[in-house]
Amino acid sequence: MGTSTRVYKIAYHPAVPDLVFIGTSIGLYVSDDNLANWTQILTNSRITDIDFHPTDPAIIYVYDDNLNQDNIMVSTNQGVSFSQGGFLNGNNGATAYVATSPDCPNCVYVGSNNGIWKSTNSGNSFSFLSAPSQSCWGFAVSDLDDTYLVYGGVDLEASADGGTSFNQVTWWANGNPDHTYVHADLRTAESVNGVFYVGTDGYLAKSTNNGLSWTRINDGTSIRENYAVGTSQSNWMLHMCGSQDNGTSIMNENGWMEWNGGDGMEAVIQPLNDDWMIGSWQYGTRNRTKDGGQTRQGVGNPESGSGEADWIAPLLLDPNQQMRVYHFSDNIFRSEEFGDGWEMVSSPNIGIIQGAAIAYNNSDILAISRGSALLLSQDAGQSWSTISFSLPGFFITDIGFAPNDDSTIAVTFDRYQNDNQKIFISHDLGNTWENITYNLGNMPLRTVAIDHTPDANIYVGGEIGVYYKSMNDTAWTAYSPGLPNVAVRDLEIQFGANAIKAATWGRGLWDFHLAGRKDFPAILKTNLADNPTEIAPRQDIDQFVTSVISYDGNLTSVYLQWSVNSHDLDHTILMTNTSDSTWVSQTPIRRST
């Protein structure tokens, strides 16, 4: 159906095997062979809800949120054709939801932001019942006793008198995980054998007493809709993830910590101080912790009202300057103090920036994108030039630099069309581009990452799973062992541990070893004697380096390399195994050396 089409509802006929109705943003589809094939039966419509007469298999109800917003559509011939049902007086075009109950077979209930209506003649006419105080993002009628209804948006309300009156039964804002707490934002509600089930932006819950109390029923399942994951390059176990309506979460050696509410977005972690992290709310508001998530302080939206940012506003950590972070909106801001002292860098004049990346070895090289536009800077963001002239004019979902070659850039596209134009790569900073989609076909791609191995493997996260190939290969290989068939929104590589992290849309956070690196030593954790802060490490203070290294074989030589103001790495210090998997530098790094 393409990227512009949305599926709102899939409903199996309760009495006719293999008969399925699909409500979409471009009409109603029907399949009589369990989705092997389907036919469009309503066009120029947006079908957002579908329900069935409990005893008459010929009668079907749908709601058209396009041309028939103040009526429901009724079929009396099992979906062959539909006609306009009774008028919803006072609905005024609000999106509505349909519910039926075997307790009253000819009754049809309709709920919207403007109230509840009831029909007692299979949808031919409706009478207004009441207007609950909540918004309506879904509701249900008990299948055992239609005097009980559940309705809600942010919180839930319940009726015990057939919809004449409603009382609030859950309070999301109180934050207490008791029987009156259900996560915000109702998405679906159903009644099965007298039990109400609701799906929200947080989880699935049920009520066995007609909405008076609620319990969660999916604790322990990995179902977060993650937008992005921030990784620590010095601690394999440390992550900060942003997710839809479930905020920003931190995972460390001790498990998960819920750190920030709302919608969680991009995150970065200070490379040598596990306690320092920056997370995001929607539209570019940043929050920071300096104590590993125990507290939270705002570092704000750097623009202070002077500009706008994307829903998932890009946030970058400079790989060569451990305290330098970038904030992207319609302007570019930089902080040299890990979120303090924001200064404006430039205004690239492409509108609100949606993607950004920085070269691994040369901090002067940055790339940004908006829609199909791709711009490059080679002077730390002061000036910008367009490098997308020879790229397809499609929406760019991600930008990735190669760690081994700052001139190599890959971009991905979010398209369902089978045109084999999903990922392109340049080896000359965007002067020329090569299509490397090969066998990925019509799968939309969301994210790209390139590893540091000699072959420079390229990884992409798509609509279904992760795929990789080496830089010179001409075919992609699925790389999703153990990973569910799920959309992957973000990929990050933890270089020391030879690990790749995947943030998925609906199945949580996953990780795996890099291709061909399973048996390599994994540097799980590295820290200095004095972790970086506003005042440390100080010049002329000895800095010993400690690393925890996992390896099944025998390590005969472990050493660190370092340099000053360059990437030459012209100093080498041997490391000694002090206990178990811990190695410590034999001599310290001294800045004055």
Side-chain angles (χ1 to χ4, degrees), residues 500-570:
I500 185 167
K501 319 287 182 174
T504 74
W505 190 250
R507 292 300 301 270
L509 178 67
W510 297 73
D511 71 353
F512 199 55
H513 59 79
L514 294 175
R517 308 285 281 193
K518 181 179 180 180
D519 298 326
F520 277 62
I523 306 170
L524 303 183
K525 191 170 184 178
T526 294
N527 60 276
L528 297 175
D530 292 325
N531 289 333
T533 66
E534 299 97 329
I535 60 174
R538 293 180 179 271
Q539 187 169 324
D540 297 328
I541 300 297
D542 290 345
Q543 290 296 325
F544 286 89
V545 178
T546 301
S547 291
V548 177
I549 305 173
S550 174
Y551 185 53
D552 290 337
N554 295 318
L555 294 173
T556 58
S557 176
V558 175
Y559 56 92
L560 68 87
Q561 292 179 309
W562 64 285
S563 55
V564 178
N565 295 331
S566 74
H567 291 90
D568 296 337
L569 299 177
D570 51 359

Coordinates of all heavy atoms in Angstrom, one line a residue, residues 500-570:
I500 N 27.0 -4.6 18.6 CA 26.1 -3.7 17.9 C 24.8 -3.7 18.7 O 24.3 -4.7 19.1 CB 25.9 -4.1 16.5 CG1 25.0 -3.1 15.7 CG2 25.4 -5.5 16.3 CD1 25.0 -3.2 14.2
K501 N 24.2 -2.5 18.9 CA 23.0 -2.3 19.7 C 21.9 -1.9 18.7 O 22.1 -1.1 17.8 CB 23.1 -1.2 20.7 CG 24.5 -1.3 21.5 CD 24.6 -2.4 22.4 CE 25.9 -2.4 23.2 NZ 26.0 -3.4 24.2
A502 N 20.7 -2.5 18.9 CA 19.5 -2.2 18.0 C 18.4 -1.7 18.9 O 17.9 -2.4 19.8 CB 19.1 -3.4 17.2
A503 N 17.9 -0.5 18.6 CA 16.7 0.0 19.2 C 15.5 -0.3 18.3 O 15.5 0.2 17.1 CB 16.8 1.5 19.5
T504 N 14.5 -1.1 18.8 CA 13.4 -1.5 17.9 C 12.1 -0.8 18.3 O 11.9 -0.3 19.4 CB 13.2 -3.0 18.0 OG1 12.5 -3.3 19.3 CG2 14.5 -3.8 18.0
W505 N 11.2 -0.8 17.3 CA 9.9 -0.1 17.4 C 8.9 -1.1 17.9 O 8.2 -1.7 17.1 CB 9.5 0.6 16.1 CG 8.3 1.5 16.3 CD1 7.1 1.3 15.8 CD2 8.3 2.7 17.0 NE1 6.3 2.3 16.1 CE2 7.0 3.2 16.9 CE3 9.2 3.5 17.7 CZ2 6.6 4.4 17.4 CZ3 8.8 4.7 18.2 CH2 7.5 5.1 18.1
G506 N 8.9 -1.4 19.2 CA 7.9 -2.3 19.7 C 8.4 -3.6 20.4 O 7.6 -4.3 20.9
R507 N 9.7 -3.8 20.3 CA 10.3 -5.0 21.0 C 11.5 -4.7 21.8 O 12.3 -5.6 22.1 CB 10.6 -6.1 19.9 CG 9.3 -6.7 19.3 CD 8.4 -7.3 20.3 NE 9.0 -8.4 21.0 CZ 9.0 -9.7 20.7 NH1 8.4 -10.0 19.5 NH2 9.6 -10.6 21.4
G508 N 11.7 -3.4 22.2 CA 12.7 -3.1 23.1 C 14.1 -3.0 22.5 O 14.3 -2.8 21.3
L509 N 15.1 -3.1 23.4 CA 16.5 -2.9 23.0 C 17.2 -4.3 22.9 O 17.0 -5.2 23.8 CB 17.2 -2.0 24.0 CG 18.7 -1.8 23.8 CD1 19.0 -1.0 22.6 CD2 19.3 -1.1 25.1
W510 N 18.1 -4.4 21.9 CA 18.8 -5.7 21.7 C 20.2 -5.4 21.4 O 20.6 -4.3 20.9 CB 18.2 -6.5 20.5 CG 16.7 -6.8 20.7 CD1 15.6 -6.0 20.7 CD2 16.2 -8.2 21.0 NE1 14.5 -6.7 21.0 CE2 14.8 -8.1 21.1 CE3 16.8 -9.4 21.1 CZ2 14.0 -9.2 21.4 CZ3 16.0 -10.5 21.3 CH2 14.7 -10.4 21.5
D511 N 21.1 -6.4 21.6 CA 22.5 -6.3 21.2 C 23.0 -7.7 20.7 O 22.4 -8.7 21.0 CB 23.4 -5.7 22.3 CG 23.6 -6.6 23.4 OD1 23.0 -7.7 23.5 OD2 24.4 -6.3 24.3
F512 N 24.1 -7.6 20.0 CA 24.7 -8.8 19.4 C 26.2 -8.4 19.1 O 26.6 -7.3 19.0 CB 24.0 -9.2 18.1 CG 24.2 -10.6 17.7 CD1 24.0 -11.7 18.6 CD2 24.7 -11.0 16.5 CE1 24.2 -13.0 18.3 CE2 24.9 -12.3 16.1 CZ 24.6 -13.3 17.0
H513 N 27.0 -9.5 18.9 CA 28.4 -9.2 18.5 C 28.5 -8.8 17.0 O 27.6 -9.1 16.2 CB 29.3 -10.4 18.7 CG 28.8 -11.6 18.0 ND1 29.1 -11.8 16.6 CD2 28.1 -12.7 18.4 CE1 28.6 -13.0 16.2 NE2 28.0 -13.5 17.3
L514 N 29.5 -8.0 16.7 CA 29.7 -7.6 15.3 C 30.0 -8.9 14.4 O 30.6 -9.9 14.9 CB 30.8 -6.6 15.2 CG 30.6 -5.2 15.8 CD1 31.9 -4.4 15.7 CD2 29.5 -4.5 15.1
A515 N 29.7 -8.8 13.2 CA 29.9 -9.9 12.3 C 31.4 -10.3 12.3 O 32.3 -9.4 12.1 CB 29.4 -9.6 10.9
G516 N 31.7 -11.6 12.5 CA 33.1 -12.1 12.5 C 33.9 -11.7 13.7 O 35.1 -12.0 13.7
R517 N 33.3 -11.1 14.7 CA 34.0 -10.7 15.9 C 33.6 -11.4 17.2 O 34.0 -11.0 18.3 CB 33.9 -9.2 16.1 CG 34.1 -8.3 14.9 CD 35.6 -8.2 14.6 NE 36.2 -7.2 15.4 CZ 37.5 -6.7 15.2 NH1 38.2 -7.1 14.2 NH2 38.0 -5.8 16.0
K518 N 32.9 -12.4 17.1 CA 32.4 -13.1 18.3 C 33.5 -13.6 19.2 O 33.4 -13.6 20.4 CB 31.5 -14.3 17.9 CG 30.9 -15.1 19.1 CD 30.0 -16.2 18.7 CE 29.5 -16.9 19.9 NZ 28.6 -18.1 19.4
D519 N 34.6 -14.1 18.6 CA 35.7 -14.7 19.4 C 36.8 -13.7 19.6 O 37.9 -14.1 20.2 CB 36.3 -15.9 18.6 CG 35.2 -17.0 18.4 OD1 34.4 -17.1 19.3 OD2 35.2 -17.7 17.4
F520 N 36.6 -12.4 19.3 CA 37.6 -11.4 19.6 C 37.6 -11.0 21.0 O 36.5 -11.1 21.7 CB 37.4 -10.2 18.7 CG 38.0 -10.3 17.3 CD1 37.6 -11.3 16.4 CD2 39.0 -9.5 16.9 CE1 38.1 -11.5 15.2 CE2 39.6 -9.6 15.6 CZ 39.1 -10.6 14.8
P521 N 38.7 -10.5 21.6 CA 38.6 -9.9 22.9 C 37.6 -8.8 23.0 O 37.5 -8.0 22.0 CB 40.0 -9.4 23.2 CG 40.9 -10.3 22.3 CD 40.0 -10.5 21.1
A522 N 36.9 -8.7 24.0 CA 35.9 -7.6 24.2 C 36.2 -6.7 25.4 O 36.3 -7.2 26.5 CB 34.5 -8.2 24.4
I523 N 36.5 -5.5 25.1 CA 36.8 -4.5 26.2 C 35.5 -4.0 26.8 O 34.8 -3.2 26.2 CB 37.7 -3.4 25.7 CG1 38.9 -3.9 24.9 CG2 38.1 -2.4 26.8 CD1 39.7 -2.8 24.2
L524 N 35.1 -4.6 27.9 CA 33.8 -4.4 28.5 C 33.7 -3.0 29.2 O 32.6 -2.4 29.2 CB 33.4 -5.5 29.4 CG 33.4 -6.9 28.8 CD1 33.0 -7.9 29.8 CD2 32.5 -7.0 27.6
K525 N 34.8 -2.6 29.8 CA 34.8 -1.4 30.6 C 36.1 -0.8 30.7 O 37.1 -1.5 30.9 CB 34.2 -1.7 32.0 CG 33.8 -0.4 32.8 CD 33.0 -0.7 34.0 CE 32.6 0.5 34.7 NZ 31.8 0.3 35.9
T526 N 36.2 0.5 30.6 CA 37.5 1.3 30.7 C 37.2 2.5 31.5 O 36.2 3.2 31.3 CB 38.1 1.6 29.4 OG1 38.4 0.4 28.7 CG2 39.3 2.5 29.5
N527 N 38.1 2.8 32.4 CA 38.0 4.1 33.2 C 39.3 4.6 33.6 O 40.3 3.9 33.6 CB 37.1 3.9 34.4 CG 37.6 2.9 35.4 OD1 37.4 1.7 35.2 ND2 38.3 3.4 36.4
L528 N 39.4 5.9 33.8 CA 40.6 6.6 34.3 C 40.6 6.6 35.8 O 39.6 6.3 36.5 CB 40.6 8.0 33.8 CG 40.7 8.2 32.3 CD1 40.6 9.7 32.0 CD2 42.0 7.7 31.7
A529 N 41.7 6.9 36.4 CA 41.8 7.1 37.8 C 40.9 8.2 38.3 O 40.2 8.2 39.3 CB 43.3 7.4 38.2
D530 N 40.8 9.3 37.5 CA 39.9 10.4 37.7 C 39.0 10.6 36.5 O 39.4 11.0 35.5 CB 40.7 11.7 38.0 CG 41.5 11.7 39.2 OD1 41.0 11.1 40.2 OD2 42.6 12.3 39.3
N531 N 37.7 10.2 36.7 CA 36.8 10.3 35.6 C 36.6 11.8 35.2 O 36.6 12.7 36.1 CB 35.4 9.7 36.0 CG 35.5 8.2 36.0 OD1 36.3 7.6 35.4 ND2 34.6 7.6 36.8
P532 N 36.4 12.1 34.0 CA 36.2 13.5 33.5 C 35.0 14.2 34.2 O 33.9 13.6 34.2 CB 36.0 13.4 32.0 CG 36.6 12.1 31.7 CD 36.4 11.2 32.8
T533 N 35.2 15.4 34.6 CA 34.2 16.3 35.2 C 34.5 17.7 34.7 O 35.3 17.9 33.8 CB 34.1 16.2 36.7 OG1 35.3 16.8 37.2 CG2 33.9 14.8 37.2
E534 N 33.8 18.7 35.3 CA 34.1 20.1 35.0 C 35.6 20.4 35.3 O 36.2 21.3 34.7 CB 33.2 21.0 35.7 CG 31.7 20.8 35.4 CD 31.0 20.0 36.4 OE1 31.7 19.1 37.0 OE2 29.8 20.2 36.6
I535 N 36.1 19.8 36.3 CA 37.5 20.1 36.8 C 38.5 19.0 36.7 O 39.7 19.2 37.1 CB 37.4 20.6 38.3 CG1 36.8 19.5 39.2 CG2 36.5 21.9 38.4 CD1 36.9 19.8 40.6
A536 N 38.1 17.9 36.2 CA 39.1 16.7 36.1 C 39.0 16.1 34.8 O 38.0 16.2 34.1 CB 38.7 15.7 37.2
P537 N 40.1 15.4 34.3 CA 41.3 15.3 35.0 C 42.2 16.5 34.9 O 42.1 17.2 33.9 CB 42.0 14.1 34.3 CG 41.4 14.1 33.0 CD 40.0 14.6 33.1
R538 N 43.0 16.8 35.9 CA 43.9 18.0 35.8 C 45.2 17.7 35.1 O 45.7 16.6 35.2 CB 44.1 18.5 37.3 CG 42.9 19.0 38.0 CD 43.2 19.5 39.4 NE 42.1 20.0 40.1 CZ 41.7 21.3 40.0 NH1 42.4 22.2 39.3 NH2 40.6 21.7 40.7
Q539 N 45.7 18.8 34.6 CA 47.0 18.6 33.9 C 48.1 18.3 35.0 O 48.1 18.7 36.1 CB 47.4 20.0 33.2 CG 48.7 19.9 32.4 CD 48.8 21.2 31.5 OE1 47.8 21.7 31.1 NE2 50.1 21.6 31.4
D540 N 49.0 17.4 34.6 CA 50.2 17.0 35.4 C 49.8 16.1 36.5 O 50.5 15.8 37.5 CB 50.9 18.2 36.0 CG 51.6 19.0 34.9 OD1 52.0 18.5 33.8 OD2 51.7 20.3 35.1
I541 N 48.5 15.5 36.5 CA 48.1 14.5 37.4 C 48.1 13.2 36.8 O 47.6 13.0 35.7 CB 46.7 14.8 37.9 CG1 46.6 16.2 38.6 CG2 46.2 13.7 38.9 CD1 47.5 16.3 39.9
D542 N 48.8 12.2 37.4 CA 48.9 10.9 36.8 C 47.5 10.3 36.6 O 46.6 10.3 37.4 CB 49.7 10.0 37.8 CG 51.2 10.3 37.8 OD1 51.6 11.1 37.0 OD2 51.9 9.9 38.8
Q543 N 47.4 9.7 35.4 CA 46.1 9.0 35.0 C 46.4 7.6 34.6 O 46.8 7.3 33.5 CB 45.4 9.8 33.9 CG 44.9 11.1 34.3 CD 43.8 11.0 35.3 OE1 43.0 10.0 35.3 NE2 43.7 11.9 36.2
F544 N 46.2 6.6 35.6 CA 46.2 5.2 35.3 C 44.9 4.8 34.6 O 43.9 5.4 34.9 CB 46.4 4.4 36.5 CG 47.8 4.5 37.1 CD1 48.2 5.5 38.0 CD2 48.8 3.6 36.6 CE1 49.5 5.6 38.5 CE2 50.1 3.7 37.1 CZ 50.4 4.7 38.1
V545 N 45.0 3.9 33.7 CA 43.9 3.4 32.9 C 43.6 2.0 33.3 O 44.5 1.1 33.3 CB 44.1 3.5 31.4 CG1 42.9 3.0 30.6 CG2 44.4 5.0 31.0
T546 N 42.3 1.7 33.6 CA 41.9 0.3 34.0 C 40.9 -0.2 33.0 O 39.9 0.5 32.6 CB 41.3 0.3 35.4 OG1 42.3 0.8 36.3 CG2 40.9 -1.1 35.8
S547 N 41.0 -1.4 32.5 CA 40.1 -2.0 31.6 C 39.7 -3.4 32.0 O 40.5 -4.2 32.6 CB 40.6 -2.1 30.2 OG 40.8 -0.8 29.6
V548 N 38.4 -3.8 31.8 CA 37.9 -5.1 32.0 C 37.8 -5.7 30.6 O 37.0 -5.2 29.8 CB 36.6 -5.1 32.8 CG1 36.1 -6.6 32.9 CG2 36.8 -4.5 34.1
I549 N 38.5 -6.9 30.4 CA 38.5 -7.5 29.0 C 38.0 -8.9 29.1 O 38.5 -9.7 29.9 CB 39.9 -7.4 28.5 CG1 40.5 -6.0 28.5 CG2 40.0 -8.0 27.0 CD1 41.9 -5.9 28.1
S550 N 37.0 -9.2 28.3 CA 36.5 -10.6 28.2 C 37.1 -11.3 27.0 O 37.1 -10.8 25.9 CB 35.0 -10.6 28.1 OG 34.4 -11.8 27.9
Y551 N 37.7 -12.5 27.3 CA 38.3 -13.3 26.2 C 38.4 -14.7 26.7 O 38.8 -15.0 27.8 CB 39.6 -12.7 25.9 CG 40.3 -13.4 24.7 CD1 39.6 -13.5 23.5 CD2 41.6 -13.9 24.8 CE1 40.2 -14.1 22.4 CE2 42.2 -14.5 23.7 CZ 41.5 -14.6 22.5 OH 42.1 -15.2 21.4
D552 N 37.9 -15.7 25.8 CA 38.0 -17.1 26.2 C 39.4 -17.7 26.1 O 39.7 -18.7 26.7 CB 37.1 -17.9 25.2 CG 35.6 -17.6 25.5 OD1 35.3 -17.2 26.6 OD2 34.8 -17.8 24.6
G553 N 40.3 -17.0 25.3 CA 41.6 -17.5 25.2 C 42.6 -16.8 26.2 O 42.2 -16.3 27.2
N554 N 43.9 -16.9 25.9 CA 44.9 -16.3 26.8 C 45.4 -15.0 26.1 O 45.8 -15.0 25.0 CB 46.1 -17.3 27.0 CG 45.7 -18.5 27.8 OD1 44.9 -18.4 28.8 ND2 46.2 -19.7 27.4
L555 N 45.3 -13.9 26.9 CA 45.8 -12.7 26.4 C 47.3 -12.6 26.8 O 47.7 -12.6 28.0 CB 45.1 -11.5 27.0 CG 43.6 -11.4 26.6 CD1 42.9 -10.3 27.4 CD2 43.5 -11.1 25.1
T556 N 48.2 -12.5 25.8 CA 49.6 -12.5 26.1 C 50.1 -11.1 26.1 O 51.2 -10.8 26.7 CB 50.4 -13.3 25.0 OG1 50.1 -12.7 23.7 CG2 50.0 -14.7 25.0
S557 N 49.4 -10.1 25.5 CA 49.9 -8.7 25.5 C 48.7 -7.8 25.4 O 47.9 -7.9 24.5 CB 50.8 -8.5 24.3 OG 51.2 -7.1 24.3
V558 N 48.6 -6.9 26.4 CA 47.5 -5.9 26.4 C 48.2 -4.6 26.6 O 49.1 -4.4 27.5 CB 46.5 -6.2 27.6 CG1 45.5 -5.0 27.7 CG2 45.8 -7.5 27.4
Y559 N 47.8 -3.6 25.8 CA 48.5 -2.3 25.9 C 47.5 -1.2 25.5 O 46.5 -1.5 24.8 CB 49.7 -2.3 25.0 CG 49.5 -2.6 23.6 CD1 49.2 -1.6 22.6 CD2 49.5 -3.9 23.1 CE1 48.9 -1.9 21.3 CE2 49.3 -4.2 21.8 CZ 49.0 -3.2 20.9 OH 48.7 -3.5 19.6
L560 N 47.8 0.0 25.8 CA 47.0 1.1 25.4 C 47.9 2.1 24.6 O 49.1 2.1 24.8 CB 46.4 1.9 26.5 CG 47.2 2.7 27.5 CD1 47.5 4.1 27.0 CD2 46.5 2.7 28.9
Q561 N 47.3 2.7 23.6 CA 48.1 3.7 22.8 C 47.4 5.1 23.0 O 46.2 5.2 23.1 CB 48.0 3.3 21.3 CG 48.9 2.0 21.0 CD 48.8 1.7 19.6 OE1 47.7 1.6 19.0 NE2 50.0 1.4 19.0
W562 N 48.2 6.1 23.0 CA 47.7 7.4 23.2 C 48.6 8.5 22.5 O 49.7 8.2 22.2 CB 47.5 7.8 24.7 CG 48.8 7.8 25.5 CD1 49.5 6.8 25.9 CD2 49.4 9.0 25.9 NE1 50.6 7.2 26.6 CE2 50.6 8.6 26.6 CE3 49.1 10.4 25.8 CZ2 51.5 9.5 27.2 CZ3 50.0 11.3 26.5 CH2 51.2 10.8 27.1
S563 N 48.0 9.6 22.3 CA 48.8 10.7 21.7 C 48.1 12.1 22.1 O 47.0 12.1 22.7 CB 48.8 10.6 20.2 OG 47.5 10.6 19.7
V564 N 48.8 13.1 21.9 CA 48.4 14.5 22.3 C 48.1 15.3 21.0 O 48.9 15.4 20.1 CB 49.4 15.2 23.1 CG1 49.0 16.6 23.5 CG2 49.7 14.4 24.4
N565 N 46.8 15.8 21.0 CA 46.4 16.7 19.9 C 46.6 16.1 18.5 O 46.8 16.9 17.5 CB 47.2 18.0 20.0 CG 46.9 18.8 21.2 OD1 45.8 18.7 21.8 ND2 47.9 19.5 21.7
S566 N 46.5 14.9 18.4 CA 46.5 14.2 17.1 C 46.0 12.8 17.2 O 45.7 12.3 18.3 CB 48.0 14.1 16.5 OG 48.7 13.2 17.2
H567 N 45.9 12.1 16.1 CA 45.4 10.7 16.1 C 46.6 9.8 15.8 O 46.4 8.6 15.3 CB 44.3 10.5 15.1 CG 43.0 11.2 15.4 ND1 42.7 12.4 15.0 CD2 42.0 10.7 16.2 CE1 41.6 12.8 15.5 NE2 41.1 11.8 16.2
D568 N 47.8 10.2 16.0 CA 49.0 9.4 15.7 C 49.1 8.2 16.6 O 49.7 7.2 16.2 CB 50.3 10.3 15.8 CG 50.3 11.4 14.7 OD1 49.6 11.2 13.7 OD2 51.0 12.4 14.9
L569 N 48.6 8.3 17.9 CA 48.8 7.3 18.9 C 50.2 6.8 18.9 O 50.6 5.6 18.8 CB 47.8 6.1 18.5 CG 46.3 6.4 18.5 CD1 45.5 5.2 18.1 CD2 45.9 6.9 19.9
D570 N 51.1 7.8 19.1 CA 52.6 7.5 19.1 C 53.1 7.2 20.5 O 54.4 7.1 20.6 CB 53.3 8.7 18.5 CG 52.9 10.0 19.1 OD1 52.1 10.0 20.1 OD2 53.5 11.0 18.7

